[in-house]
Amino acid sequence: MDCGDCTASYAVYLYMITRTIRFPILIALILILLGKVSATAAQEESGPFQHLVMPGDTWTALAWRYGIHEEYLRSSNPHPNKQWQPAIGKFVSIPNDGDVLTSQTGMLHGSNSDSLLEIAVQQKQNLWSLAVLNGLEHIWQPLLMRPIFAPDETSMPKQFPPGFHSLELMSLPVYPGQGQALRAVLNGTVSARAAFADQAFEVFSDSDSLTGLFATGAFFPPGDHLLTIEVEGSPLWSQPVQVVPGEWNFEDITLTGSAAAIDAESIRLERERLSAIWNQSSSTPLWETNFNQPIEQFLQISSNYGARRSYNGGPYSSYHEGVDFSAYGGTPVTAPASGIVVLAENLYVRGGAVIIDHGLGVYTGLYHMSELLVETGQTVNRGQIVGRVGSTGLSTGNHLHWDLLVNGIWVDAAAWHQSDIACWIVEVWERNCRDE
């Protein structure tokens, strides 16, 4: 019940009885009823509340943040694997037994190499106070990888990889078929490697920052998957990330004529050749702005990324790797962002094709064009015309197929375009990546 409604009801009740009772009794009743309202409000404020897990929100970090014993926090969020940390993107229940929980500010230090004395000096803390706060019997007790909490007015307790001051993901929750990025602020020079769901991806760092790109494919299973970061000479840091189920269309495709004659072996050979291109990665982004849609004048989006497809009545065992724009033949097609043309030719399956390398393992593919207006090795800018719409290769009518790959994995090009991920990434390179 809303406490405002409670107060209104009590007020009406008091008005009715004032005509029949004396003033002292009325005062006593008012005090009793107001106490009843306050008790109701306190009861509604107590009880657990939900905390959205972000990178570094481990059980230890959350226990320090909310002043709760770690085992009590874990028992309120049971999991069969005692080593499993809270999944990034999920909510965990923070117990509240009626007391108002106040966040504690401070930093958690991974003590893989630093002694308590070194941490106290770094954080300008009293050595003995730091030992008592962390439940150590004496100041020289071996830490044995135990994280040490040091009060700090500007930081929330987090457990990051050694040498990391912060760590964040581009967007939550994570969906299948999504390009995803992480970035971090470092405490000096750090050499690191990373993986998501056992799939390694490159991270790029300079003196005080780090960024990395990874992807989930259209068939990527929902659930909690480990994000791991290994810093040279330090233990492996890991935390699960929640991937939520995707929503897909189902399409029945009927191929006739020359399109129906294209066989699975031809598709395999073409993909094998292109995979050698898609799996190359440069260490810097070649784009300076967000990504544009490669076609402005079109009739409709005739097929979305990830649509499950059945060909000529077969099973829905494949998916659409890009976005299809139905358009008139000859409509201009432009580069979504700056980069280098790594392929410009007519392919057996994809027809008139232009592939652009944007750096950091990001590639654009523009297919089924009737005319190609760029050459392999040419540098292109965002908005530059690279070809014209057609119906070549494995195509049932005039359209442009636009796909985008990250580290050799197809992701939703439309979602990449609509999000801020391209600019979010290059901010690490201190580029002003915003449209005019």
Side-chain angles (χ1 to χ4, degrees):
M1 178 185 293
D2 190 331
C3 290
D5 295 337
C6 295
T7 305
S9 299
Y10 292 136
V12 172
Y13 180 62
L14 287 174
Y15 174 78
M16 295 175 64
I17 66 174
T18 52
R19 303 168 64 94
T20 59
I21 60 177
R22 289 186 293 179
F23 186 73
I25 299 176
L26 177 62
I27 294 298
L29 283 171
I30 290 173
L31 292 175
I32 292 171
L33 292 172
L34 287 178
K36 199 171 182 181
V37 172
S38 299
T40 302
Q43 185 177 10
E44 290 182 353
E45 288 178 359
S46 65
F49 66 93
Q50 303 300 304
H51 174 94
L52 178 61
V53 177
M54 304 299 285
D57 282 341
T58 61
W59 295 124
T60 301
L62 291 174
W64 276 108
R65 174 171 179 168
Y66 292 108
I68 303 171
H69 195 279
E70 185 174 331
E71 288 305 314
Y72 183 30
L73 182 59
R74 284 177 176 268
S75 67
S76 301
N77 300 272
H79 193 283
N81 184 352
K82 299 300 182 182
Q83 304 301 318
W84 202 249
Q85 293 293 343
I88 298 167
K90 275 188 174 180
F91 285 91
V92 296
S93 179
I94 306 297
N96 180 6
D97 296 330
D99 297 329
V100 177
L101 294 177
T102 55
S103 296
Q104 297 186 85
T105 58
M107 295 185 66
L108 275 169
H109 299 267
S111 53
N112 57 303
S113 58
D114 293 343
S115 66
L116 186 67
L117 176 60
E118 289 171 320
I119 294 173
V121 171
Q122 291 170 9
Q123 300 303 311
K124 299 179 181 179
Q125 301 281 337
N126 179 278
L127 181 59
W128 287 101
S129 298
L130 203 59
V132 171
L133 180 63
N134 286 274
L136 300 176
E137 295 180 0
H138 55 79
I139 60 174
W140 308 120
Q141 179 177 335
L143 301 182
L144 302 176
M145 310 305 302
R146 178 177 180 171
I148 298 299
F149 176 77
D152 183 294
E153 294 182 356
T154 61
S155 304
M156 284 294 178
K158 299 276 189 178
Q159 276 190 282
F160 293 130
F164 281 54
H165 178 74
S166 68
L167 175 63
E168 54 184 332
L169 293 181
M170 165 60 197
S171 60
L172 293 173
V174 176
Y175 292 91
Q178 182 182 41
Q180 182 60 266
L182 64 82
R183 66 183 184 187
V185 176
L186 308 176
N187 298 321
T189 302
V190 171
S191 175
R193 295 183 297 177
F196 182 64
D198 295 326
Q199 182 177 358
F201 62 92
E202 288 191 74
V203 291
F204 309 96
S205 61
D206 55 24
S207 60
D208 61 357
S209 61
L210 173 147
T211 189
L213 269 171
F214 61 95
T216 57
F219 284 142
F220 197 91
D224 298 344
H225 301 272
L226 279 180
L227 171 66
T228 59
I229 298 176
E230 184 177 6
V231 179
E232 186 175 356
S234 300
L236 188 70
W237 176 94
S238 66
Q239 190 171 0
V241 178
Q242 182 189 31
V243 178
V244 300
E247 296 182 0
W248 314 106
N249 300 325
F250 287 80
E251 298 176 346
D252 296 290
I253 308 296
T254 300
L255 300 178
T256 59
S258 60
I262 297 178
D263 61 288
E265 180 64 11
S266 299
I267 295 174
R268 186 190 68 80
L269 291 174
E270 185 171 293
R271 179 170 297 186
E272 188 176 88
R273 178 195 168 195
L274 297 181
S275 292
I277 297 173
W278 293 326
N279 286 296
Q280 299 180 47
S281 178
S282 59
S283 60
T284 56
L286 302 179
W287 70 87
E288 297 280 351
T289 61
N290 216 331
F291 279 49
N292 269 350
Q293 199 167 264
I295 182 170
E296 294 183 0
Q297 300 175 354
F298 60 95
L299 302 174
Q300 63 178 347
I301 295 178
S302 53
S303 182
N304 291 307
Y305 168 88
R308 277 35 178 172
R309 285 187 158 182
S310 164
Y311 288 96
N312 292 347
Y316 294 96
S317 57
S318 64
Y319 70 95
H320 191 224
E321 297 157 353
V323 183
D324 282 354
F325 299 88
S326 176
Y328 293 115
T331 302
V333 177
T334 61
S338 56
I340 299 173
V341 177
V342 291
L343 183 141
E345 63 181 81
N346 287 303
L347 299 175
Y348 185 51
V349 177
R350 291 163 175 79
V354 169
I355 298 177
I356 303 171
D357 178 5
H358 300 291
L360 294 184
V362 180
Y363 287 85
T364 279
L366 303 165
Y367 304 133
H368 307 299
M369 292 187 287
S370 61
E371 186 178 3
L372 308 181
L373 302 176
V374 291
E375 297 178 351
T376 301
Q378 182 178 338
T379 298
V380 293
N381 299 314
R382 185 181 70 160
Q384 180 176 339
I385 298 176
V386 298
R388 299 189 183 277
V389 170
S391 181
T392 57
L394 185 57
S395 172
T396 57
N398 284 323
H399 75 287
L400 172 70
H401 173 104
W402 174 33
D403 67 25
L404 191 139
L405 295 97
V406 174
N407 299 332
I409 298 172
W410 280 282
V411 300
D412 189 347
W416 179 282
H417 158 65
Q418 292 163 6
S419 73
D420 195 41
I421 185 170
C423 288
W424 194 84
I425 294 166
V426 299
E427 284 175 355
V428 173
W429 279 264
E430 298 182 351
R431 298 182 185 178
N432 182 17
C433 181
R434 293 293 180 270
D435 292 334
E436 298 180 356

